Amino acid sequence: MLTPPRTVVRREGGLYALERALQRRGFRHVAGADEAGRGACAGPLVAAAAILPEGRRGEIDGLADSKLLTPASRERIHDEVVSRALAYAVVVVPAEEVDERGLHVCNLAAMRRALASLTTRPDYVLTDGFGVDGLDVPGLAVWKGDRVAACVAAASVLAKVTRDRMMVELDGAFPGYGFAEHKGYITAEHTAALRERGPCREHRFSYVNVAAVSGRDGAPPRARRPADARRDEPMERSCPPGGTVGVALGEQPRPPASVGEDVVMEGGVR
């Protein structure tokens, strides 16, 4: 029996090597998916998916893992991805839903929703860290995918810039927490503000540090959000032409993940 030829990933291809190898095997449209905000204890979780064009047009100068870029570089690359991508999509999961369904469940559901919202159907999917089931195309979960595959790095920039912009807006609506600076991650300044002011409705009450200062640390995980912190309507966000944006609501729940997982800043520094 003949075995199929091996897929060779050329090291000199750098961030684009994996996608180019897949394209040589006939997978023309390779989608990447990633999220921002897993480690934050306030604000939404944001997932994004992107398909970059083949060849030189898909090569974006300076593209890298969003956590390794300066804010100015992220903004520039975000706009480059939006203008060049064959398709992209962004999904926003409000803090309330993270509390109700669990972080890991929401993370996978949001990436699944973003991939399903792409206007160009992918032939292959690369995801950062976690495999996403329920897709009708082959895929691969790549450890530190935003440092290995260009399409995943592009998705990471879309997700992070979208979320950072939202956190700046929330800083105006909920002053005193410093959301514009730390973007909802657990810094010394954020911890001090939580202790002094208590949590606002944009905090994730299922996270142990928020539950502790809210006086609800003895409540079951999914019951930690007090009734007066719930929303009547889901968040609505706009998206530039050419992409899609949505709120990851209404998908079937899965078994909840442990409370407080990944409660550190992405990358450990900011």
Side-chain angles (χ1 to χ4, degrees), residues 6-25 148:
R6 292 185 304 163
T7 298
V8 178
V9 179
R10 297 192 175 100
R11 182 174 298 177
E12 62 270 19
L15 192 64
Y16 298 88
L18 182 53
E19 281 165 84
R20 298 295 182 258
L22 288 167
Q23 288 162 352
R24 290 196 299 271
R25 292 297 302 272
V148 175

Side-chain angles (χ1 to χ4, degrees), residues 174-239:
F174 300 94
Y177 292 101
F179 288 157
E181 287 74 38
H182 54 65
K183 307 300 189 294
Y185 288 91
I186 305 170
T187 64
E189 294 79 7
H190 192 182
T191 298
L194 266 174
R195 289 172 178 165
E196 178 184 352
R197 306 171 66 87
C200 71
R201 74 178 192 187
E202 291 296 334
H203 280 94
R204 300 177 187 174
F205 288 77
S206 57
Y207 277 46
V208 291
N209 65 319
V210 179
V213 297
S214 70
R216 299 176 61 83
D217 53 326
R222 300 296 167 252
R224 285 183 177 163
R225 176 167 286 265
D228 59 0
R230 295 181 182 274
R231 301 173 180 274
D232 295 326
E233 299 292 337
M235 298 172 69
E236 295 181 358
R237 299 287 166 186
S238 60
C239 190

Side-chain angles (χ1 to χ4, degrees), residues 26-130:
F27 300 105
R28 289 190 58 198
H29 299 146
V30 181
D34 199 4
E35 49 68 35
R38 276 183 62 90
C41 68
L45 178 72
V46 178
I51 300 176
L52 297 175
E54 297 178 76
R56 290 292 182 88
R57 178 162 175 75
E59 297 180 4
I60 298 173
D61 184 41
L63 178 63
D65 172 6
S66 63
K67 297 182 288 297
L68 303 179
L69 299 169
T70 65
S73 294
R74 282 197 296 265
E75 289 284 346
R76 176 186 64 79
I77 292 171
H78 171 278
D79 294 345
E80 287 274 349
V81 172
V82 166
S83 65
R84 295 193 190 195
L86 292 179
Y88 70 93
V90 180
V91 169
V92 177
V93 184
E96 178 183 356
E97 189 172 354
V98 173
D99 284 342
E100 291 176 348
R101 302 180 61 203
L103 175 65
H104 190 61
V105 174
C106 287
N107 187 27
L108 296 185
M111 287 201 291
R112 187 182 305 112
R113 180 83 170 266
L115 288 162
S117 299
L118 292 170
T119 53
T120 298
R121 185 179 184 276
D123 299 314
Y124 201 96
V125 168
L126 298 173
T127 54
D128 183 39
F130 302 98

